[in-house]
């Protein structure tokens, strides 16, 4: 999975998690402390989410941050 693919996968996964939560982007931006324009840019794949972003978004949405782990990084059960 190339870097651009990871960026797009993460953006889509975070956007879907926000949608599933019933919150909107403005609420998530406010509660995470991420500027709305920055969050929106990242959700459209314009730049990468960093670990802090993913952790605080997961906390605000009440989900595990492991949901934002791209498939190539998930350990397969033996």
């Amino acid at each position: 999975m190339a870097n651009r693919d990871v960026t797009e996968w993460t953006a889509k996964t975070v956007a879907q998690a926000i949608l599933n939560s019933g919150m909107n982007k403005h609420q998530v931006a406010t509660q995470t402390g991420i500027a709305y324009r920055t969050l929106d840019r990242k959700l459209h794949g314009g730049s990468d989410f960093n670990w802090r972003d993913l952790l605080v978004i997961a906390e605000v949405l009440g989900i595990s941050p492991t949901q934002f782990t791209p498939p190539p990084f998930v350990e397969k059960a033996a």
Side-chain angles (χ1 to χ4, degrees), residues 40-71:
D40 192 55
R41 182 180 66 250
K42 291 179 179 198
L43 289 171
H44 288 93
S47 63
D48 293 318
F49 284 94
N50 62 40
W51 288 112
R52 182 202 170 276
D53 296 336
L54 296 174
L55 290 172
V56 297
I57 291 168
E59 183 177 323
V60 164
L61 299 181
I63 60 174
S64 171
T66 61
Q67 291 187 31
F68 301 142
T69 305

Side-chain angles (χ1 to χ4, degrees), residues 15-28:
Q16 187 62 52
I18 292 171
L19 183 64
N20 293 346
S21 76
M23 297 177 75
N24 63 47
K25 292 185 289 186
H26 285 285
Q27 292 169 314
V28 173

Side-chain angles (χ1 to χ4, degrees), residues 25-36 39 60:
K25 292 185 289 186
H26 285 285
Q27 292 169 314
V28 173
T30 299
Q31 291 187 32
T32 60
I34 301 170
Y36 176 80
L39 177 64
V60 164

Side-chain angles (χ1 to χ4, degrees), residues 1-14 42-49:
M1 183 176 257
N3 185 48
R4 185 75 200 145
D5 294 338
V6 171
T7 298
E8 291 174 4
W9 182 92
T10 305
K12 288 178 185 175
T13 302
V14 173
K42 291 179 179 198
L43 289 171
H44 288 93
S47 63
D48 293 318
F49 284 94

